[in-house]
Amino acid sequence: MTSHQTTQTMKPATAAKKLGVYLQATPAEFQEGVVSRGELAALQADPPEWLQELRRNGPHPRPVVAAKLGVSIAGLARGGVTEPLTTEQIEALKEEFPSWLRQERATQAEVRKETVRIKEKHKEQKDRAQAQDRD
């Protein structure tokens, strides 16, 4: 009995998300086809010029825009940014530093601090429980 191993493929939208690029900015053949795991790995290991260009200049999808601005995706929406942005537009926003961006960065910093605090609290509780178990 032989086993037939099928090649796992993904939709272009999934592949674009994994590559961190905006699907509508990718070449037509990428958007219209399917991408195998091997093809995705090859794109990540040795990105073609179009992929390098998209990563460098955009337009970037919202998760990438949010990361580059140091805010959450929800923060982008609250700031009125709903469309993909180019690297140039992102840099312009950083220079302009509107009040919504300042506020969202402060919010993001608080969220990160709280996440660290909770993580440390859980670690302390776990350490105490382990110490009690040893006693």
Side-chain angles (χ1 to χ4, degrees):
M1 190 163 166
T2 61
S3 65
H4 296 290
Q5 190 167 0
T6 59
T7 303
Q8 290 184 329
T9 59
M10 61 192 82
K11 294 178 183 176
T14 303
K17 186 175 182 179
K18 289 179 181 284
L19 292 169
V21 295
Y22 183 56
L23 177 62
Q24 285 74 5
T26 61
E29 58 269 12
F30 181 86
Q31 293 180 40
E32 295 163 2
V34 293
V35 181
S36 71
R37 289 193 180 275
E39 290 168 333
L40 179 67
L43 287 170
Q44 290 171 323
D46 186 23
E49 183 57 38
W50 65 264
L51 182 53
Q52 292 176 34
E53 179 68 20
L54 274 179
R55 286 178 170 169
R56 192 171 32 251
N57 298 316
H60 302 287
R62 286 181 310 159
V64 174
V65 173
K68 287 180 179 275
L69 290 174
V71 300
S72 66
I73 295 172
L76 281 181
R78 285 190 293 269
V81 178
T82 57
E83 298 297 316
L85 299 179
T86 63
T87 300
E88 188 177 304
Q89 292 169 314
I90 293 168
E91 292 304 317
L93 263 176
K94 285 179 179 178
E95 284 182 30
E96 183 184 317
F97 207 51
S99 60
W100 72 264
L101 181 55
R102 200 172 11 262
Q103 176 61 44
E104 291 301 331
R105 278 188 172 179
T107 300
Q108 192 70 359
E110 287 299 317
V111 167
R112 286 187 185 117
K113 254 198 309 195
E114 182 65 6
T115 301
V116 168
R117 186 190 71 77
I118 290 170
K119 188 176 180 180
E120 288 173 354
K121 181 180 176 184
H122 285 207
K123 184 182 180 323
E124 288 171 10
Q125 289 173 344
K126 183 179 174 185
D127 290 348
R128 274 198 302 271
Q130 287 176 344
Q132 287 175 351
D133 288 345
R134 282 181 260 151
D135 292 341

